[in-house]
Amino acid sequence: MPKIWSGGASREGSIDISDLMVEDDTVIDQNFLEFEALALIAYHLEIFREGLIASEDSVSILRSLLLLLDRDIVLKPELEDVHGNVEEFVIRNSGKAGDNLRLFLSRNEQIHTDIRLYGRSRLLELAFHSAEISEAALKKRDEFSGSMPGYTHYRQGMVVSVKTYMDYIAAIFENSATEMLETARKMEYLPLGYGSGFGSLSDADFSKISESLGMSPVPVNPQYLSSRRGIDEADILYPVLKLMINISRISQDLIMFSGDEIPLFNLPDGFVTGSSLMANKRNPDFLEMLQGYASEQIGSFNSLISLVANKSSGYHRDFQISKKIMVRSLQRSISILKILPEFFSGIGFDAEASGNIIKNSSYATVNAKKLFSEGHTWKRAYSEAGRMVREGQELEKIKPGDATTITSENLSSIKDAIRQEISRYDDISDKLIALAKKLTVSN
């Protein structure tokens, strides 16, 4: 089959290097198929309005793109990517009219558009899951009571309430939901229209195309926007990466806090495994795998930003690796976040065991505070508490307060905002498809 670039100055050689050049591009690009079709529908609706090609050709192309959205097609590796596959499908269904499918378009601006549309969609999905996890942690915060040891340097430091600890977990996921929502909203500029990075030769009005896709017009300088390739993938993944790092740290806590030595929490069945030899084991394999996936994503992110470093301005072929890193990282994160509400809903807290584990010395700081409130200087109060610990004197067990900040009302507001964004983009897609269908029926 002819490549999308067949007919240009470059010719195919006798050696097949497709495995190195495109590898699993079509597997990754399968995720972009819907967004590719929607962007092309928006483009050709504007081409029809402006009469840039014969109206019957525009109608034929739009009809093929609508057919593509209704078909569950699998991209063919020999056509290299989503662009080549879509072009082949449209030409096969539209005949010669399909030759103008990609009128003055570059694959660079097309895949960049797909990346932004796909990344925006997945960030909103992740944001919603993150808010749901926060709600699950919040329910446990309100259910649990009692105190637990607080650790620094893997040593007991102060006593903290379990409500404060669960609120900490809820806060991580609430803040991540907000950050991912904000990042999704920042994916506002439409790359379609910068050509190969030097401006488009198309006479289509890209400001109207941008509006029809719920995005902003291309900034004045096309080289700047094209230079965002790779950086955009990093921007999309950064809030997700930070959340995965926090998930890894929570996992480390719960691995320690559910073990034989510090049995504060009980992990739910289904998230622990047994040993093939030792019948007594309840291994925290799920949490350990979360830590492994977090480490994997850190490595992938470092690979991503390394790809775009030390490059001249303009597109480079190895940037295609960045889309693979982005897609796989987002897919893995979605699969993790989907099941975390059930995990947190199933954990238990053993207040009695926790109370027995707390060392009396962990009350030193709060006892120093009490001495200060009784008139001692802070330095004297601190020293006196230290002396009591050194001499093994019993410190007063002063119950910690609850430092809680997360509310169900705020979480509901965040979820509503995420739903509104998802609904807005769904409405945009539905409107585009409806306009295309109306045009193809009436012509």
mmCIF file of all heavy atoms in Angstrom, residues 53-84:
data_model
loop_
_atom_site.group_PDB
_atom_site.id
_atom_site.type_symbol
_atom_site.label_atom_id
_atom_site.label_comp_id
_atom_site.label_asym_id
_atom_site.label_seq_id
_atom_site.Cartn_x
_atom_site.Cartn_y
_atom_site.Cartn_z
ATOM 1 N N ILE A 53 -12.912 23.611 -2.046
ATOM 2 C CA ILE A 53 -12.916 22.528 -3.031
ATOM 3 C C ILE A 53 -14.355 22.351 -3.486
ATOM 4 O O ILE A 53 -15.283 22.964 -2.931
ATOM 5 C CB ILE A 53 -12.344 21.208 -2.451
ATOM 6 C CG1 ILE A 53 -13.196 20.699 -1.278
ATOM 7 C CG2 ILE A 53 -10.882 21.389 -2.012
ATOM 8 C CD1 ILE A 53 -12.748 19.344 -0.731
ATOM 9 N N ALA A 54 -14.563 21.526 -4.489
ATOM 10 C CA ALA A 54 -15.913 21.293 -4.994
ATOM 11 C C ALA A 54 -16.812 20.807 -3.863
ATOM 12 O O ALA A 54 -16.410 19.950 -3.063
ATOM 13 C CB ALA A 54 -15.878 20.273 -6.124
ATOM 14 N N SER A 55 -18.004 21.353 -3.767
ATOM 15 C CA SER A 55 -18.905 21.017 -2.665
ATOM 16 C C SER A 55 -19.209 19.530 -2.613
ATOM 17 O O SER A 55 -19.308 18.950 -1.517
ATOM 18 C CB SER A 55 -20.205 21.821 -2.793
ATOM 19 O OG SER A 55 -20.864 21.523 -4.006
ATOM 20 N N GLU A 56 -19.335 18.893 -3.792
ATOM 21 C CA GLU A 56 -19.633 17.457 -3.782
ATOM 22 C C GLU A 56 -18.456 16.649 -3.220
ATOM 23 O O GLU A 56 -18.647 15.596 -2.605
ATOM 24 C CB GLU A 56 -19.989 16.963 -5.186
ATOM 25 C CG GLU A 56 -18.937 17.162 -6.257
ATOM 26 C CD GLU A 56 -19.089 18.479 -6.982
ATOM 27 O OE1 GLU A 56 -19.702 19.420 -6.418
ATOM 28 O OE2 GLU A 56 -18.594 18.565 -8.129
ATOM 29 N N ASP A 57 -17.224 17.157 -3.409
ATOM 30 C CA ASP A 57 -16.052 16.482 -2.831
ATOM 31 C C ASP A 57 -16.047 16.628 -1.307
ATOM 32 O O ASP A 57 -15.730 15.689 -0.575
ATOM 33 C CB ASP A 57 -14.765 17.058 -3.412
ATOM 34 C CG ASP A 57 -14.541 16.640 -4.856
ATOM 35 O OD1 ASP A 57 -15.321 15.801 -5.351
ATOM 36 O OD2 ASP A 57 -13.594 17.159 -5.484
ATOM 37 N N SER A 58 -16.393 17.838 -0.836
ATOM 38 C CA SER A 58 -16.473 18.052 0.613
ATOM 39 C C SER A 58 -17.497 17.109 1.238
ATOM 40 O O SER A 58 -17.245 16.490 2.277
ATOM 41 C CB SER A 58 -16.861 19.505 0.911
ATOM 42 O OG SER A 58 -15.819 20.389 0.635
ATOM 43 N N VAL A 59 -18.661 17.008 0.593
ATOM 44 C CA VAL A 59 -19.727 16.153 1.111
ATOM 45 C C VAL A 59 -19.276 14.695 1.136
ATOM 46 O O VAL A 59 -19.517 13.962 2.104
ATOM 47 C CB VAL A 59 -21.010 16.312 0.272
ATOM 48 C CG1 VAL A 59 -22.040 15.252 0.654
ATOM 49 C CG2 VAL A 59 -21.591 17.706 0.457
ATOM 50 N N SER A 60 -18.594 14.276 0.082
ATOM 51 C CA SER A 60 -18.129 12.894 0.006
ATOM 52 C C SER A 60 -17.104 12.592 1.097
ATOM 53 O O SER A 60 -17.143 11.532 1.735
ATOM 54 C CB SER A 60 -17.512 12.633 -1.374
ATOM 55 O OG SER A 60 -17.108 11.285 -1.486
ATOM 56 N N ILE A 61 -16.195 13.532 1.326
ATOM 57 C CA ILE A 61 -15.190 13.349 2.384
ATOM 58 C C ILE A 61 -15.860 13.287 3.753
ATOM 59 O O ILE A 61 -15.540 12.418 4.579
ATOM 60 C CB ILE A 61 -14.159 14.490 2.333
ATOM 61 C CG1 ILE A 61 -13.273 14.348 1.088
ATOM 62 C CG2 ILE A 61 -13.299 14.508 3.607
ATOM 63 C CD1 ILE A 61 -12.372 15.539 0.840
ATOM 64 N N LEU A 62 -16.791 14.196 4.006
ATOM 65 C CA LEU A 62 -17.488 14.209 5.293
ATOM 66 C C LEU A 62 -18.281 12.927 5.499
ATOM 67 O O LEU A 62 -18.335 12.391 6.616
ATOM 68 C CB LEU A 62 -18.398 15.431 5.389
ATOM 69 C CG LEU A 62 -17.680 16.771 5.587
ATOM 70 C CD1 LEU A 62 -18.633 17.930 5.333
ATOM 71 C CD2 LEU A 62 -17.098 16.863 6.995
ATOM 72 N N ARG A 63 -18.885 12.437 4.433
ATOM 73 C CA ARG A 63 -19.658 11.197 4.541
ATOM 74 C C ARG A 63 -18.741 10.024 4.924
ATOM 75 O O ARG A 63 -19.096 9.181 5.752
ATOM 76 C CB ARG A 63 -20.369 10.923 3.215
ATOM 77 C CG ARG A 63 -21.379 9.788 3.286
ATOM 78 C CD ARG A 63 -22.157 9.662 1.983
ATOM 79 N NE ARG A 63 -23.130 10.743 1.830
ATOM 80 C CZ ARG A 63 -23.153 11.597 0.825
ATOM 81 N NH1 ARG A 63 -22.246 11.527 -0.138
ATOM 82 N NH2 ARG A 63 -24.083 12.544 0.768
ATOM 83 N N SER A 64 -17.555 10.000 4.336
ATOM 84 C CA SER A 64 -16.589 8.939 4.665
ATOM 85 C C SER A 64 -16.090 9.047 6.103
ATOM 86 O O SER A 64 -15.899 8.043 6.788
ATOM 87 C CB SER A 64 -15.402 9.001 3.693
ATOM 88 O OG SER A 64 -15.804 8.687 2.385
ATOM 89 N N LEU A 65 -15.874 10.280 6.567
ATOM 90 C CA LEU A 65 -15.409 10.473 7.945
ATOM 91 C C LEU A 65 -16.484 10.065 8.946
ATOM 92 O O LEU A 65 -16.183 9.479 10.004
ATOM 93 C CB LEU A 65 -15.011 11.938 8.164
ATOM 94 C CG LEU A 65 -13.730 12.391 7.457
ATOM 95 C CD1 LEU A 65 -13.569 13.898 7.551
ATOM 96 C CD2 LEU A 65 -12.502 11.689 8.052
ATOM 97 N N LEU A 66 -17.743 10.333 8.641
ATOM 98 C CA LEU A 66 -18.845 9.886 9.501
ATOM 99 C C LEU A 66 -18.929 8.370 9.508
ATOM 100 O O LEU A 66 -19.173 7.751 10.556
ATOM 101 C CB LEU A 66 -20.163 10.488 9.012
ATOM 102 C CG LEU A 66 -20.328 11.994 9.230
ATOM 103 C CD1 LEU A 66 -21.571 12.499 8.505
ATOM 104 C CD2 LEU A 66 -20.409 12.331 10.712
ATOM 105 N N LEU A 67 -18.717 7.773 8.350
ATOM 106 C CA LEU A 67 -18.722 6.312 8.260
ATOM 107 C C LEU A 67 -17.589 5.735 9.102
ATOM 108 O O LEU A 67 -17.758 4.718 9.788
ATOM 109 C CB LEU A 67 -18.571 5.896 6.794
ATOM 110 C CG LEU A 67 -18.581 4.389 6.507
ATOM 111 C CD1 LEU A 67 -19.920 3.770 6.899
ATOM 112 C CD2 LEU A 67 -18.283 4.124 5.020
ATOM 113 N N LEU A 68 -16.444 6.400 9.061
ATOM 114 C CA LEU A 68 -15.288 5.964 9.846
ATOM 115 C C LEU A 68 -15.615 5.942 11.336
ATOM 116 O O LEU A 68 -15.232 5.010 12.065
ATOM 117 C CB LEU A 68 -14.103 6.890 9.574
ATOM 118 C CG LEU A 68 -12.822 6.631 10.381
ATOM 119 C CD1 LEU A 68 -12.212 5.306 9.995
ATOM 120 C CD2 LEU A 68 -11.822 7.763 10.154
ATOM 121 N N LEU A 69 -16.323 6.970 11.819
ATOM 122 C CA LEU A 69 -16.680 7.030 13.237
ATOM 123 C C LEU A 69 -17.625 5.908 13.633
ATOM 124 O O LEU A 69 -17.649 5.492 14.797
ATOM 125 C CB LEU A 69 -17.325 8.381 13.553
ATOM 126 C CG LEU A 69 -16.378 9.589 13.660
ATOM 127 C CD1 LEU A 69 -17.179 10.871 13.826
ATOM 128 C CD2 LEU A 69 -15.405 9.417 14.819
ATOM 129 N N ASP A 70 -18.410 5.416 12.670
ATOM 130 C CA ASP A 70 -19.366 4.340 12.961
ATOM 131 C C ASP A 70 -18.740 2.955 12.853
ATOM 132 O O ASP A 70 -19.348 1.970 13.277
ATOM 133 C CB ASP A 70 -20.563 4.424 12.002
ATOM 134 C CG ASP A 70 -21.488 5.582 12.327
ATOM 135 O OD1 ASP A 70 -21.477 6.020 13.489
ATOM 136 O OD2 ASP A 70 -22.216 6.044 11.422
ATOM 137 N N ARG A 71 -17.557 2.885 12.249
ATOM 138 C CA ARG A 71 -16.890 1.607 12.047
ATOM 139 C C ARG A 71 -15.873 1.337 13.148
ATOM 140 O O ARG A 71 -15.199 2.248 13.616
ATOM 141 C CB ARG A 71 -16.171 1.596 10.690
ATOM 142 C CG ARG A 71 -17.089 1.696 9.472
ATOM 143 C CD ARG A 71 -17.765 0.373 9.172
ATOM 144 N NE ARG A 71 -18.606 0.475 7.990
ATOM 145 C CZ ARG A 71 -18.171 0.297 6.745
ATOM 146 N NH1 ARG A 71 -16.901 0.015 6.517
ATOM 147 N NH2 ARG A 71 -19.019 0.394 5.726
ATOM 148 N N ASP A 72 -15.758 0.093 13.517
ATOM 149 C CA ASP A 72 -14.765 -0.317 14.518
ATOM 150 C C ASP A 72 -13.542 -0.844 13.777
ATOM 151 O O ASP A 72 -13.266 -2.042 13.760
ATOM 152 C CB ASP A 72 -15.356 -1.388 15.434
ATOM 153 C CG ASP A 72 -14.454 -1.705 16.615
ATOM 154 O OD1 ASP A 72 -13.593 -0.872 16.945
ATOM 155 O OD2 ASP A 72 -14.614 -2.806 17.196
ATOM 156 N N ILE A 73 -12.819 0.064 13.132
ATOM 157 C CA ILE A 73 -11.699 -0.375 12.298
ATOM 158 C C ILE A 73 -10.430 -0.513 13.128
ATOM 159 O O ILE A 73 -10.248 0.143 14.160
ATOM 160 C CB ILE A 73 -11.461 0.591 11.122
ATOM 161 C CG1 ILE A 73 -10.845 1.909 11.604
ATOM 162 C CG2 ILE A 73 -12.734 0.845 10.339
ATOM 163 C CD1 ILE A 73 -10.279 2.730 10.474
ATOM 164 N N VAL A 74 -9.552 -1.397 12.672
ATOM 165 C CA VAL A 74 -8.243 -1.593 13.286
ATOM 166 C C VAL A 74 -7.203 -1.022 12.336
ATOM 167 O O VAL A 74 -7.189 -1.349 11.140
ATOM 168 C CB VAL A 74 -7.964 -3.091 13.551
ATOM 169 C CG1 VAL A 74 -6.565 -3.281 14.115
ATOM 170 C CG2 VAL A 74 -9.010 -3.660 14.511
ATOM 171 N N LEU A 75 -6.351 -0.162 12.835
ATOM 172 C CA LEU A 75 -5.351 0.487 11.992
ATOM 173 C C LEU A 75 -4.342 -0.531 11.452
ATOM 174 O O LEU A 75 -3.889 -1.425 12.167
ATOM 175 C CB LEU A 75 -4.620 1.575 12.778
ATOM 176 C CG LEU A 75 -5.484 2.687 13.372
ATOM 177 C CD1 LEU A 75 -4.599 3.772 13.983
ATOM 178 C CD2 LEU A 75 -6.416 3.298 12.335
ATOM 179 N N LYS A 76 -3.983 -0.366 10.190
ATOM 180 C CA LYS A 76 -3.063 -1.280 9.520
ATOM 181 C C LYS A 76 -1.626 -0.767 9.666
ATOM 182 O O LYS A 76 -1.325 0.368 9.300
ATOM 183 C CB LYS A 76 -3.418 -1.380 8.036
ATOM 184 C CG LYS A 76 -4.837 -1.848 7.761
ATOM 185 C CD LYS A 76 -5.194 -1.685 6.295
ATOM 186 C CE LYS A 76 -6.658 -2.036 6.037
ATOM 187 N NZ LYS A 76 -7.042 -1.783 4.620
ATOM 188 N N PRO A 77 -0.729 -1.610 10.184
ATOM 189 C CA PRO A 77 0.657 -1.171 10.396
ATOM 190 C C PRO A 77 1.349 -0.727 9.112
ATOM 191 O O PRO A 77 2.192 0.180 9.146
ATOM 192 C CB PRO A 77 1.333 -2.422 10.977
ATOM 193 C CG PRO A 77 0.214 -3.221 11.565
ATOM 194 C CD PRO A 77 -0.970 -2.970 10.692
ATOM 195 N N GLU A 78 1.008 -1.340 7.980
ATOM 196 C CA GLU A 78 1.677 -0.987 6.737
ATOM 197 C C GLU A 78 1.357 0.441 6.280
ATOM 198 O O GLU A 78 2.049 0.998 5.425
ATOM 199 C CB GLU A 78 1.315 -1.980 5.624
ATOM 200 C CG GLU A 78 -0.162 -2.093 5.315
ATOM 201 C CD GLU A 78 -0.862 -3.184 6.113
ATOM 202 O OE1 GLU A 78 -0.390 -3.506 7.228
ATOM 203 O OE2 GLU A 78 -1.884 -3.707 5.625
ATOM 204 N N LEU A 79 0.315 1.048 6.869
ATOM 205 C CA LEU A 79 -0.020 2.441 6.554
ATOM 206 C C LEU A 79 0.579 3.411 7.574
ATOM 207 O O LEU A 79 0.246 4.592 7.602
ATOM 208 C CB LEU A 79 -1.537 2.607 6.480
ATOM 209 C CG LEU A 79 -2.202 1.879 5.298
ATOM 210 C CD1 LEU A 79 -3.720 1.950 5.390
ATOM 211 C CD2 LEU A 79 -1.729 2.458 3.976
ATOM 212 N N GLU A 80 1.427 2.901 8.443
ATOM 213 C CA GLU A 80 2.280 3.657 9.371
ATOM 214 C C GLU A 80 1.577 4.250 10.583
ATOM 215 O O GLU A 80 2.063 4.103 11.705
ATOM 216 C CB GLU A 80 3.024 4.777 8.637
ATOM 217 C CG GLU A 80 4.030 4.288 7.622
ATOM 218 C CD GLU A 80 4.931 5.387 7.101
ATOM 219 O OE1 GLU A 80 4.559 6.575 7.193
ATOM 220 O OE2 GLU A 80 6.025 5.068 6.612
ATOM 221 N N ASP A 81 0.470 4.954 10.406
ATOM 222 C CA ASP A 81 -0.098 5.680 11.538
ATOM 223 C C ASP A 81 -1.573 5.965 11.303
ATOM 224 O O ASP A 81 -2.152 5.518 10.312
ATOM 225 C CB ASP A 81 0.668 6.992 11.786
ATOM 226 C CG ASP A 81 0.804 7.843 10.525
ATOM 227 O OD1 ASP A 81 -0.106 7.777 9.673
ATOM 228 O OD2 ASP A 81 1.808 8.566 10.396
ATOM 229 N N VAL A 82 -2.173 6.706 12.208
ATOM 230 C CA VAL A 82 -3.603 7.008 12.104
ATOM 231 C C VAL A 82 -3.893 7.844 10.870
ATOM 232 O O VAL A 82 -4.930 7.684 10.221
ATOM 233 C CB VAL A 82 -4.109 7.713 13.392
ATOM 234 C CG1 VAL A 82 -3.462 9.072 13.579
ATOM 235 C CG2 VAL A 82 -5.619 7.820 13.400
ATOM 236 N N HIS A 83 -2.983 8.719 10.499
ATOM 237 C CA HIS A 83 -3.209 9.608 9.358
ATOM 238 C C HIS A 83 -3.262 8.832 8.047
ATOM 239 O O HIS A 83 -4.152 9.043 7.221
ATOM 240 C CB HIS A 83 -2.116 10.674 9.297
ATOM 241 C CG HIS A 83 -1.702 11.194 10.632
ATOM 242 N ND1 HIS A 83 -2.568 11.864 11.467
ATOM 243 C CD2 HIS A 83 -0.519 11.112 11.296
ATOM 244 C CE1 HIS A 83 -1.924 12.196 12.581
ATOM 245 N NE2 HIS A 83 -0.688 11.748 12.496
ATOM 246 N N GLY A 84 -2.288 7.920 7.880
ATOM 247 C CA GLY A 84 -2.284 7.109 6.672
ATOM 248 C C GLY A 84 -3.491 6.205 6.583
ATOM 249 O O GLY A 84 -4.052 6.001 5.494
#
